[in-house]
Amino acid sequence: MLKEEVPQDQGIADGLKEVTYAVNGNGDYVMVPSAGWEPKNISNYQAWEVIAEQIETARCQVLNNEVSPLAYHMARNQMDIGLLAQYMGIMRWRVKRHLKPQIFKKLNSNMLNRYASLLKVTEEQLQDISLVEKLRIPGQDQE
Amino acid sequence: MKIDYTHHQSAHCENGATAGLISHYGVEMSEAMTFGIGAGLFFGYIPFIRLNHLPLTTFRVAAGSIFKRVTKELGIKIETRKFRDQQLAMDILDETIAKGIPVGLQTGAWWLPYFPDAYRFHFNMHNLVVFGKKGDSYLISDPVFPEPVICRADDLRKARFAKGALAPKGKMYCLSEVPAQVDLPNAIKNGIRTVTKAMLKYPLPIIGISGIRFLAKRLERWPAKLGEDNALLHLGQLIRMQEEIGTGGAGFRFIYAAFLQEAATHLNDDRFIAFSARMTSIGDRWRELAVRAARNCKGRAGTEDSFPAMAKILMDIAAQEEELYRDLAGAVVE
């Protein structure tokens, strides 16, 4: 890749320039900042769309009262039951139980507080997902 | 307090942290040189390890191995430590930087507040160097950022104790003894030998050159085997692993080409300039593959972007890389 060919396609990187290696006019390697590259943007948006889909699925399930709001927060934080259980320092089966709406409603404030601080939301947001901001896909404008 | 540490932005975090620490002790080390001596170049298509339910493709060796190899090759003594006790981990960090020793840390990117959203994944192999503390915040040279950054103690503690796959467990590392003179030519040759051996002779069909061919055959069958949508997700994952932040472009092939160019000077051997140029054109082929794959993902694929056409590019890359590694191996025997 020649220095002049280093792509500067704004997108997923949200303004952060990363270093790429390219060859200058004398044939020497130099480090050149790049704002991004279209194929990379495309493949990253593809991954973000999958995440956004998972969050949306969880949101609908919460609204239908099929799962507890915790499921939504879990998706939004790109976690699965195993990872969430590790961070909470509790067994997986307990997290699984907390994903049931009727059990989640009865959680004590200590447990709610631990979930909330881990997931970086308030206790109110933890219980009412309509208070949570919509996920922003990096580099794309909000509608 | 602040250690007089020079921050350089680099393409890859582990190279950058390693090069920065070594340079701090007076041995000038570029990122490319670190990558080359550390024998970082690799290929593996590992369908049974899944990332987001998609197979793992790697263009570099396992994390941590570059640091280990470079320091060993150059005769640098290192100290590494993992912790159970989070408070102890932070106290020892404070003590070490108070002595004027910059400290490398393995962290989970998810918890670093200065990361842009795009890079906030549960990725636990992010390396950075702490070189000072001001009040409750640490001064950090994060190799993939253009300038040094600041991170609150509590956030850094969380990042050091991120959970999940390859959890860092508070890992910290620093250099304890750096020789005044290092034997670069020898280290360079050893680094090249390790890479050529892994790429040509690794006894598993999913690693090295045979791994590239294996991927080519698999990729050709993806649409039939997985269905159109899933095949595109597999393609997307391949581009991401190849061009992800930290590869310097083309799955580390360009960084390695830069290393070969530097090697030409240190070994006083012009053949390496030609090797470097060949690696550059191999990198360009990888980028071409990414362009075609992305066109598929975007639904704009022409006939020249078909899966068999992409498999053919991979086969061509495998042939070119194989020849290059054979020539490289020949150039470093003695």
Side-chain angles (χ1 to χ4, degrees):
Chain A
M1 183 168 55
L2 294 174
K3 193 178 163 189
E4 299 73 44
E5 295 166 358
V6 171
Q8 306 292 346
D9 307 334
Q10 296 277 357
I12 199 82
D14 247 351
L16 174 71
K17 289 203 171 180
E18 55 185 83
V19 165
T20 51
Y21 282 73
V23 179
N24 71 11
N26 300 327
D28 295 329
Y29 260 95
V30 282
M31 292 160 94
V32 188
S34 163
W37 189 36
E38 196 51 21
K40 194 166 153 176
N41 288 333
I42 291 170
S43 66
N44 273 296
Y45 285 136
Q46 184 197 51
W48 278 96
E49 271 158 31
V50 173
I51 294 169
E53 245 169 63
Q54 285 162 351
I55 298 173
E56 183 55 22
T57 310
R59 197 181 68 89
C60 294
Q61 286 174 330
V62 173
L63 293 181
N64 289 335
N65 212 26
E66 289 163 42
V67 291
S68 78
L70 187 59
Y72 172 80
H73 292 286
M74 197 167 85
R76 208 172 182 285
N77 283 275
Q78 295 171 39
M79 291 185 181
D80 55 18
I81 292 172
L83 188 59
L84 185 53
Q86 273 191 42
Y87 270 118
M88 286 292 289
I90 60 177
M91 305 282 274
R92 297 166 57 111
W93 63 266
R94 289 187 68 196
V95 173
K96 243 185 215 167
R97 247 169 68 83
H98 298 162
L99 292 174
K100 294 184 179 162
Q102 60 279 23
I103 304 227
F104 183 77
K105 263 182 219 143
K106 283 186 261 171
L107 280 186
N108 63 32
S109 72
N110 174 35
M111 208 47 166
L112 288 177
N113 187 286
R114 277 172 65 191
Y115 273 123
S117 81
L118 172 71
L119 301 164
K120 293 192 170 159
V121 288
T122 64
E123 280 184 45
E124 293 73 45
Q125 287 173 321
L126 182 70
Q127 288 163 299
D128 181 358
I129 62 168
S130 67
L131 301 174
V132 185
E133 241 176 86
K134 204 174 157 242
L135 179 88
R136 177 183 164 272
I137 293 186
Q140 289 187 345
D141 292 328
Q142 294 280 66
E143 312 109 53
Chain B
M1 74 134 308
K2 188 180 165 195
I3 301 166
D4 189 18
Y5 181 87
T6 317
H7 172 80
H8 288 290
Q9 188 179 14
S10 50
H12 186 259
C13 65
E14 186 182 345
N15 297 334
T18 306
L21 287 176
I22 297 175
S23 301
H24 180 75
Y25 291 93
V27 181
E28 248 343 285
M29 259 294 149
S30 69
E31 174 183 17
M33 194 44 88
T34 307
F35 185 70
I37 294 176
L41 196 76
F42 195 68
F43 183 86
Y45 173 67
I46 310 175
F48 50 85
I49 298 184
R50 301 256 149 178
L51 255 171
N52 307 319
H53 311 290
L54 297 166
L56 176 86
T57 310
T58 177
F59 293 83
R60 46 155 289 147
V61 292
S65 123
I66 295 177
F67 178 73
K68 248 187 249 162
R69 267 187 212 284
V70 175
T71 49
K72 202 175 140 205
E73 280 299 333
L74 299 179
I76 296 170
K77 287 202 181 123
I78 56 169
E79 264 173 56
T80 54
R81 222 176 139 170
K82 285 188 178 184
F83 298 88
R84 273 172 187 233
D85 185 338
Q86 304 200 359
Q87 194 49 52
L88 181 68
M90 296 311 278
D91 290 345
I92 301 279
L93 170 64
D94 288 356
E95 276 171 33
T96 315
I97 53 173
K99 286 185 210 151
I101 303 169
V103 177
L105 295 180
Q106 186 191 333
T107 56
W110 180 262
W111 298 102
L112 296 170
Y114 57 83
F115 258 60
D117 289 345
Y119 301 115
R120 281 187 70 234
F121 291 107
H122 294 282
F123 170 71
N124 283 337
M125 309 300 286
H126 186 64
N127 288 274
L128 48 82
V129 175
V130 179
F131 68 100
K133 192 176 182 186
K134 220 176 176 181
D136 193 35
S137 292
Y138 288 93
L139 304 177
I140 289 175
S141 164
D142 190 314
V144 297
F145 284 80
E147 300 293 332
V149 289
I150 287 172
C151 181
R152 282 182 39 240
D154 197 43
D155 291 321
L156 187 63
R157 182 181 56 74
K158 282 185 190 155
R160 294 182 68 190
F161 287 91
K163 302 275 202 282
L166 305 165
K169 299 194 172 98
K171 185 178 172 189
M172 61 178 261
Y173 49 92
C174 49
L175 311 185
S176 53
E177 215 183 298
V178 183
Q181 286 291 322
V182 292
D183 185 358
L184 270 186
N186 196 35
I188 290 170
K189 284 183 192 164
N190 280 341
I192 293 175
R193 261 180 227 125
T194 310
V195 164
T196 53
K197 211 170 140 195
M199 293 300 288
L200 293 170
K201 292 187 177 150
Y202 205 97
L204 271 183
I206 55 174
I207 301 294
I209 299 303
S210 35
I212 302 177
R213 297 202 168 107
F214 179 78
L215 169 63
K217 285 179 211 146
R218 283 286 176 107
L219 180 142
E220 191 163 357
R221 292 203 306 260
W222 279 348
K225 214 178 136 212
L226 306 165
E228 198 61 41
D229 289 353
N230 202 4
L232 293 183
L233 289 179
H234 277 65
L235 266 190
Q237 171 101 332
L238 177 63
I239 314 176
R240 283 192 298 279
M241 314 269 345
Q242 182 189 314
E243 296 297 332
E244 208 169 38
I245 186 165
T247 70
F252 295 97
R253 267 57 188 165
F254 291 145
I255 297 188
Y256 204 75
F259 156 71
L260 291 173
Q261 195 169 65
E262 267 194 65
T265 317
H266 289 289
L267 300 174
N268 207 0
D269 187 339
D270 281 348
R271 285 178 299 172
F272 284 80
I273 294 176
F275 293 148
S276 169
R278 278 163 67 186
M279 189 52 103
T280 305
S281 54
I282 289 169
D284 289 334
R285 278 300 256 173
W286 280 107
R287 300 275 282 191
E288 193 188 326
L289 176 74
V291 169
R292 290 175 190 229
R295 272 190 219 136
N296 277 283
C297 294
K298 194 109 207 218
R300 289 196 196 137
T303 41
E304 74 282 12
D305 305 319
S306 67
F307 281 75
M310 287 187 288
K312 225 174 133 200
I313 295 183
L314 276 170
M315 283 297 191
D316 175 46
I317 288 172
Q320 285 191 47
E321 287 203 9
E322 184 172 26
E323 217 188 313
L324 177 57
Y325 299 134
R326 283 199 200 291
D327 294 347
L328 271 172
V332 292
V333 275
E334 78 235 15

